[in-house]
Amino acid sequence: MNFNQLLKQAQQMQKKVNKTKKEFAEKTFDFEGQQGMITGKVNGNLELVELHIKEDVLSVENKEMLEDMLVVSINDILRKVDQEREDTLNKVTNGVDVSAFL
């Protein structure tokens, strides 16, 4: 295989990875935490785009508990989305780390 063929393959891989990243960024992921007390959506860029909290946990007395529940729920979905993004890109690149070329 000559250098030009290798370069062409790398460019094709880059296009595929960029397309996959764009498609993944547009996906949304629903989450539910703490027995449905907290629900929402996160996009593929790990941005929180929707958040709903049941009214019965909204009180001054529950403030600290609610903050803890939010942290746990949001961190959990962010880890899941990040792992799915990594798995998706690994499928496109067949597990080859191409980050140095992109």
Side-chain angles (χ1 to χ4, degrees):
M1 178 179 298
N2 68 35
F3 181 75
N4 286 335
Q5 287 176 317
L6 189 60
L7 184 59
K8 188 174 183 176
Q9 284 181 343
Q11 289 170 336
Q12 289 173 341
M13 178 72 70
Q14 183 177 12
K15 285 180 184 178
K16 246 176 134 174
V17 167
N18 288 341
K19 180 182 179 207
T20 301
K21 282 182 176 181
K22 184 178 186 243
E23 289 171 353
F24 194 84
E26 293 171 356
K27 286 177 71 173
T28 58
F29 302 83
D30 296 330
F31 70 92
E32 178 180 312
Q34 310 304 318
Q35 294 85 33
M37 289 190 243
I38 298 170
T39 59
K41 291 182 187 231
V42 172
N43 67 22
N45 284 329
L46 302 179
E47 298 168 330
L48 183 65
V49 294
E50 232 177 80
L51 180 66
H52 304 282
I53 303 167
K54 286 202 171 183
E55 286 185 31
D56 51 331
V57 288
L58 293 176
S59 70
V60 175
E61 299 84 28
N62 289 338
K63 181 182 181 296
E64 191 174 318
M65 179 188 71
L66 177 58
E67 290 169 344
D68 291 342
M69 289 177 5
L70 284 167
V71 169
V72 168
S73 298
I74 293 169
N75 283 335
D76 185 47
I77 189 61
L78 293 179
R79 278 190 295 275
K80 288 177 184 174
V81 172
D82 190 45
Q83 183 63 53
E84 187 170 330
R85 177 175 51 191
E86 188 176 316
D87 292 346
T88 300
L89 288 174
N90 280 337
K91 287 179 188 172
V92 171
T93 63
N94 293 320
V96 175
D97 181 12
V98 294
S99 59
F101 304 106
L102 302 178

